[in-house]
Amino acid sequence: VCTPRAPRCGECPVARWCNARALGIAERIPPARKKHKPERVEIAAAVLLDPRGRTLLVKPLKAETNGLFSRMWQFPAVKLKSGKQIEEWRNRGTEERNTPETNGAWMELKAIKHTVTYREVTLRPFLIRVDRLRPANRARIVALGDVTRMAVSSATKKIARAVEKNVAAATP
């Protein structure tokens, strides 16, 4: 019965002992929370995909998290400091990306909007075809189709769905 905007003091079983009611300030307690200024965040995520339809998920250390994936399994990702980073990466040429494992098969997918509390996130997924995935510390190899059924963040699920949709569209 004691709600911030419309307390129902007449129905309250402890109203006779309530200091806020006695002082006539029950409607102002608790004070309104300060709203965070919206923060724009851009994240590039690498979705490595092998010929068997498997991908790599990583679990970052606490120091490596940015608060968006809650230390859950996620695609390898990096918080972009400026929109120019993607352009710089694109303009470097394909030589750096053309490794024996990837054969230059990188594809940027459509950006995905995602909101977490006061953060307005733009997810920039990159589909990277690889010949094989290599196991690593704090990493696991799973079928891409299983990612959306795992206990992962909603951002990770959005990225997985975008990749699945793209792979399905490219399959004859």
Side-chain angles (χ1 to χ4, degrees):
V1 296
C2 193
T3 61
R5 291 196 181 126
R8 297 187 312 261
C9 297
E11 299 173 33
C12 182
V14 295
R16 63 180 164 167
W17 299 287
C18 179
N19 288 336
R21 182 175 184 214
L23 295 171
I25 59 171
E27 295 83 19
R28 292 180 277 166
I29 295 179
R33 289 187 289 165
K34 294 178 184 175
K35 290 190 176 186
H36 282 275
K37 180 180 173 185
E39 177 186 339
R40 286 178 171 64
V41 179
E42 194 168 11
I43 295 177
V47 181
L48 303 161
L49 191 64
D50 73 5
R52 294 171 49 190
R54 299 178 312 162
T55 190
L56 184 77
L57 295 178
V58 296
K59 193 163 198 174
L61 295 171
K62 186 175 183 179
E64 299 170 338
T65 62
N66 53 24
L68 298 174
F69 296 103
S70 305
R71 292 187 64 202
M72 301 173 108
W73 291 103
Q74 66 186 54
F75 295 107
V78 61
K79 185 175 178 180
L80 300 173
K81 293 181 178 135
S82 75
K84 292 180 181 178
Q85 283 178 292
I86 294 291
E87 285 303 315
E88 289 170 3
W89 175 78
R90 273 193 199 140
N91 294 333
R92 271 190 239 151
T94 58
E95 292 173 15
E96 295 173 17
R97 295 176 274 170
N98 203 1
T99 66
E101 290 84 16
T102 65
N103 297 319
W106 290 59
M107 181 172 33
E108 182 174 1
L109 304 179
K110 184 179 176 184
I112 304 163
K113 297 293 181 188
H114 182 68
T115 303
V116 180
T117 59
Y118 59 91
R119 294 181 190 101
E120 297 169 356
V121 183
T122 301
L123 301 167
R124 307 278 302 269
F126 289 84
L127 172 58
I128 305 164
R129 302 270 185 182
V130 295
D131 292 334
R132 68 185 183 101
L133 295 166
R134 295 184 181 167
N137 287 341
R138 296 184 338 272
R140 57 192 284 203
I141 297 170
V142 298
L144 178 62
D146 291 343
V147 173
T148 58
R149 293 187 292 275
M150 295 174 61
V152 295
S153 71
S154 57
T156 299
K157 288 180 182 184
K158 284 181 180 181
I159 294 167
R161 280 190 216 102
V163 172
E164 284 179 316
K165 183 178 173 181
N166 190 278
V167 169
T171 306

Short mmCIF file of all heavy atoms in Angstrom, two decimals, residues 122-150:
data_model
loop_
_atom_site.label_atom_id
_atom_site.label_comp_id
_atom_site.label_asym_id
_atom_site.label_seq_id
_atom_site.Cartn_x
_atom_site.Cartn_y
_atom_site.Cartn_z
N THR A 122 24.66 -0.53 -30.29
CA THR A 122 24.66 -0.96 -31.68
C THR A 122 25.61 -2.14 -31.76
O THR A 122 26.81 -2.00 -31.48
CB THR A 122 25.11 0.16 -32.64
OG1 THR A 122 24.23 1.27 -32.48
CG2 THR A 122 25.09 -0.31 -34.08
N LEU A 123 25.07 -3.31 -32.10
CA LEU A 123 25.89 -4.51 -32.24
C LEU A 123 26.29 -4.63 -33.70
O LEU A 123 25.44 -4.57 -34.59
CB LEU A 123 25.08 -5.75 -31.81
CG LEU A 123 24.56 -5.74 -30.38
CD1 LEU A 123 23.54 -6.84 -30.18
CD2 LEU A 123 25.71 -5.89 -29.39
N ARG A 124 27.57 -4.78 -33.96
CA ARG A 124 28.10 -4.89 -35.33
C ARG A 124 28.64 -6.30 -35.51
O ARG A 124 29.82 -6.55 -35.24
CB ARG A 124 29.20 -3.86 -35.56
CG ARG A 124 28.85 -2.41 -35.25
CD ARG A 124 28.10 -1.71 -36.34
NE ARG A 124 28.77 -1.65 -37.62
CZ ARG A 124 29.56 -0.68 -38.03
NH1 ARG A 124 29.81 0.34 -37.25
NH2 ARG A 124 30.10 -0.73 -39.23
N PRO A 125 27.82 -7.25 -35.96
CA PRO A 125 28.31 -8.63 -36.11
C PRO A 125 29.10 -8.82 -37.40
O PRO A 125 28.77 -8.28 -38.44
CB PRO A 125 27.02 -9.45 -36.13
CG PRO A 125 25.96 -8.52 -36.56
CD PRO A 125 26.40 -7.13 -36.18
N PHE A 126 30.16 -9.62 -37.29
CA PHE A 126 30.97 -10.02 -38.44
C PHE A 126 30.95 -11.53 -38.52
O PHE A 126 31.33 -12.20 -37.56
CB PHE A 126 32.41 -9.51 -38.29
CG PHE A 126 32.53 -8.03 -38.45
CD1 PHE A 126 32.29 -7.18 -37.39
CD2 PHE A 126 32.85 -7.48 -39.69
CE1 PHE A 126 32.38 -5.81 -37.53
CE2 PHE A 126 32.94 -6.11 -39.84
CZ PHE A 126 32.71 -5.27 -38.78
N LEU A 127 30.51 -12.07 -39.63
CA LEU A 127 30.52 -13.51 -39.86
C LEU A 127 31.87 -13.85 -40.48
O LEU A 127 32.25 -13.28 -41.51
CB LEU A 127 29.38 -13.91 -40.80
CG LEU A 127 29.38 -15.37 -41.28
CD1 LEU A 127 29.33 -16.33 -40.10
CD2 LEU A 127 28.23 -15.60 -42.22
N ILE A 128 32.58 -14.75 -39.84
CA ILE A 128 33.92 -15.12 -40.30
C ILE A 128 33.92 -16.64 -40.52
O ILE A 128 33.82 -17.41 -39.57
CB ILE A 128 34.99 -14.73 -39.27
CG1 ILE A 128 34.89 -13.24 -38.96
CG2 ILE A 128 36.38 -15.10 -39.78
CD1 ILE A 128 35.61 -12.81 -37.71
N ARG A 129 34.00 -17.03 -41.77
CA ARG A 129 34.05 -18.46 -42.11
C ARG A 129 35.47 -18.96 -41.85
O ARG A 129 36.44 -18.36 -42.29
CB ARG A 129 33.70 -18.65 -43.58
CG ARG A 129 32.34 -18.12 -43.96
CD ARG A 129 31.32 -19.17 -43.80
NE ARG A 129 30.03 -18.68 -44.28
CZ ARG A 129 28.95 -19.40 -44.22
NH1 ARG A 129 28.99 -20.62 -43.73
NH2 ARG A 129 27.81 -18.93 -44.64
N VAL A 130 35.56 -20.05 -41.12
CA VAL A 130 36.86 -20.64 -40.81
C VAL A 130 36.86 -22.11 -41.21
O VAL A 130 35.80 -22.75 -41.23
CB VAL A 130 37.22 -20.49 -39.31
CG1 VAL A 130 37.39 -19.03 -38.92
CG2 VAL A 130 36.19 -21.16 -38.42
N ASP A 131 38.05 -22.62 -41.53
CA ASP A 131 38.16 -24.04 -41.86
C ASP A 131 37.96 -24.91 -40.63
O ASP A 131 37.37 -25.98 -40.70
CB ASP A 131 39.51 -24.33 -42.50
CG ASP A 131 39.64 -23.70 -43.88
OD1 ASP A 131 38.60 -23.48 -44.52
OD2 ASP A 131 40.78 -23.42 -44.30
N ARG A 132 38.48 -24.42 -39.49
CA ARG A 132 38.29 -25.16 -38.24
C ARG A 132 38.40 -24.21 -37.06
O ARG A 132 39.04 -23.17 -37.14
CB ARG A 132 39.27 -26.31 -38.11
CG ARG A 132 40.70 -25.93 -37.93
CD ARG A 132 41.60 -27.18 -37.92
NE ARG A 132 42.97 -26.81 -37.68
CZ ARG A 132 43.57 -26.93 -36.51
NH1 ARG A 132 42.95 -27.44 -35.48
NH2 ARG A 132 44.82 -26.56 -36.36
N LEU A 133 37.77 -24.59 -35.98
CA LEU A 133 37.81 -23.81 -34.74
C LEU A 133 38.83 -24.43 -33.81
O LEU A 133 38.91 -25.66 -33.71
CB LEU A 133 36.43 -23.79 -34.08
CG LEU A 133 35.34 -23.08 -34.86
CD1 LEU A 133 33.97 -23.41 -34.29
CD2 LEU A 133 35.56 -21.58 -34.87
N ARG A 134 39.59 -23.60 -33.14
CA ARG A 134 40.59 -24.09 -32.20
C ARG A 134 40.13 -23.85 -30.78
O ARG A 134 39.81 -22.73 -30.41
CB ARG A 134 41.91 -23.36 -32.43
CG ARG A 134 42.50 -23.67 -33.78
CD ARG A 134 43.83 -23.01 -33.93
NE ARG A 134 44.34 -23.31 -35.25
CZ ARG A 134 45.36 -22.70 -35.78
NH1 ARG A 134 45.97 -21.74 -35.12
NH2 ARG A 134 45.77 -23.01 -36.97
N PRO A 135 40.10 -24.90 -29.97
CA PRO A 135 39.73 -24.72 -28.56
C PRO A 135 40.72 -23.80 -27.86
O PRO A 135 41.89 -23.75 -28.21
CB PRO A 135 39.80 -26.14 -27.98
CG PRO A 135 39.84 -27.05 -29.15
CD PRO A 135 40.42 -26.28 -30.29
N ALA A 136 40.22 -23.05 -26.89
CA ALA A 136 41.06 -22.13 -26.13
C ALA A 136 40.54 -22.05 -24.71
O ALA A 136 39.43 -22.50 -24.40
CB ALA A 136 41.04 -20.76 -26.79
N ASN A 137 41.36 -21.46 -23.82
CA ASN A 137 40.92 -21.24 -22.44
C ASN A 137 39.69 -20.34 -22.44
O ASN A 137 39.61 -19.39 -23.20
CB ASN A 137 42.02 -20.57 -21.62
CG ASN A 137 43.14 -21.53 -21.30
OD1 ASN A 137 42.97 -22.74 -21.37
ND2 ASN A 137 44.29 -20.99 -20.96
N ARG A 138 38.76 -20.61 -21.53
CA ARG A 138 37.52 -19.84 -21.38
C ARG A 138 36.75 -19.73 -22.69
O ARG A 138 36.14 -18.71 -22.98
CB ARG A 138 37.81 -18.46 -20.78
CG ARG A 138 38.38 -18.50 -19.38
CD ARG A 138 38.59 -17.13 -18.75
NE ARG A 138 38.71 -16.01 -19.63
CZ ARG A 138 39.85 -15.56 -20.18
NH1 ARG A 138 40.97 -16.20 -19.94
NH2 ARG A 138 39.86 -14.50 -20.94
N ALA A 139 36.80 -20.78 -23.50
CA ALA A 139 36.08 -20.79 -24.77
C ALA A 139 35.43 -22.16 -24.94
O ALA A 139 35.90 -23.15 -24.40
CB ALA A 139 37.01 -20.50 -25.93
N ARG A 140 34.34 -22.17 -25.69
CA ARG A 140 33.71 -23.45 -26.01
C ARG A 140 33.18 -23.40 -27.43
O ARG A 140 32.83 -22.35 -27.94
CB ARG A 140 32.64 -23.83 -25.01
CG ARG A 140 31.53 -22.88 -24.80
CD ARG A 140 30.68 -23.19 -23.59
NE ARG A 140 29.79 -24.31 -23.79
CZ ARG A 140 28.69 -24.53 -23.10
NH1 ARG A 140 28.34 -23.68 -22.14
NH2 ARG A 140 27.94 -25.56 -23.32
N ILE A 141 33.16 -24.55 -28.03
CA ILE A 141 32.70 -24.69 -29.41
C ILE A 141 31.30 -25.32 -29.35
O ILE A 141 31.11 -26.36 -28.74
CB ILE A 141 33.67 -25.57 -30.22
CG1 ILE A 141 35.03 -24.88 -30.30
CG2 ILE A 141 33.11 -25.83 -31.61
CD1 ILE A 141 36.14 -25.73 -30.88
N VAL A 142 30.33 -24.62 -29.95
CA VAL A 142 28.94 -25.09 -29.93
C VAL A 142 28.32 -24.91 -31.31
O VAL A 142 28.80 -24.11 -32.11
CB VAL A 142 28.09 -24.32 -28.89
CG1 VAL A 142 28.61 -24.51 -27.48
CG2 VAL A 142 28.01 -22.85 -29.22
N ALA A 143 27.26 -25.64 -31.56
CA ALA A 143 26.52 -25.46 -32.82
C ALA A 143 25.87 -24.08 -32.79
O ALA A 143 25.31 -23.68 -31.76
CB ALA A 143 25.47 -26.55 -32.97
N LEU A 144 25.94 -23.36 -33.90
CA LEU A 144 25.35 -22.03 -33.97
C LEU A 144 23.87 -22.08 -33.60
O LEU A 144 23.38 -21.22 -32.88
CB LEU A 144 25.53 -21.44 -35.37
CG LEU A 144 24.92 -20.05 -35.59
CD1 LEU A 144 25.56 -19.02 -34.66
CD2 LEU A 144 25.05 -19.64 -37.04
N GLY A 145 23.16 -23.10 -34.05
CA GLY A 145 21.74 -23.23 -33.76
C GLY A 145 21.42 -23.43 -32.29
O GLY A 145 20.29 -23.22 -31.86
N ASP A 146 22.41 -23.84 -31.49
CA ASP A 146 22.19 -24.06 -30.06
C ASP A 146 22.38 -22.79 -29.23
O ASP A 146 21.95 -22.74 -28.07
CB ASP A 146 23.14 -25.14 -29.53
CG ASP A 146 22.80 -26.52 -30.06
OD1 ASP A 146 21.67 -26.71 -30.57
OD2 ASP A 146 23.67 -27.41 -29.98
N VAL A 147 23.01 -21.77 -29.78
CA VAL A 147 23.33 -20.57 -29.01
C VAL A 147 22.07 -19.91 -28.45
O VAL A 147 22.05 -19.51 -27.29
CB VAL A 147 24.15 -19.56 -29.86
CG1 VAL A 147 24.33 -18.25 -29.12
CG2 VAL A 147 25.49 -20.16 -30.23
N THR A 148 21.02 -19.81 -29.24
CA THR A 148 19.80 -19.14 -28.77
C THR A 148 19.07 -19.93 -27.69
O THR A 148 18.19 -19.38 -27.04
CB THR A 148 18.85 -18.83 -29.94
OG1 THR A 148 18.52 -20.06 -30.61
CG2 THR A 148 19.46 -17.84 -30.91
N ARG A 149 19.42 -21.19 -27.50
CA ARG A 149 18.79 -22.00 -26.45
C ARG A 149 19.65 -22.09 -25.19
O ARG A 149 19.28 -22.75 -24.24
CB ARG A 149 18.49 -23.39 -26.99
CG ARG A 149 17.42 -23.40 -28.08
CD ARG A 149 17.01 -24.81 -28.48
NE ARG A 149 18.05 -25.55 -29.17
CZ ARG A 149 18.28 -25.50 -30.48
NH1 ARG A 149 17.57 -24.71 -31.24
NH2 ARG A 149 19.23 -26.23 -31.02
N MET A 150 20.80 -21.43 -25.23
CA MET A 150 21.71 -21.47 -24.09
C MET A 150 21.44 -20.30 -23.15
O MET A 150 20.75 -19.36 -23.50
CB MET A 150 23.17 -21.38 -24.59
CG MET A 150 23.61 -22.57 -25.40
SD MET A 150 25.26 -22.34 -26.11
CE MET A 150 26.25 -22.17 -24.64
#
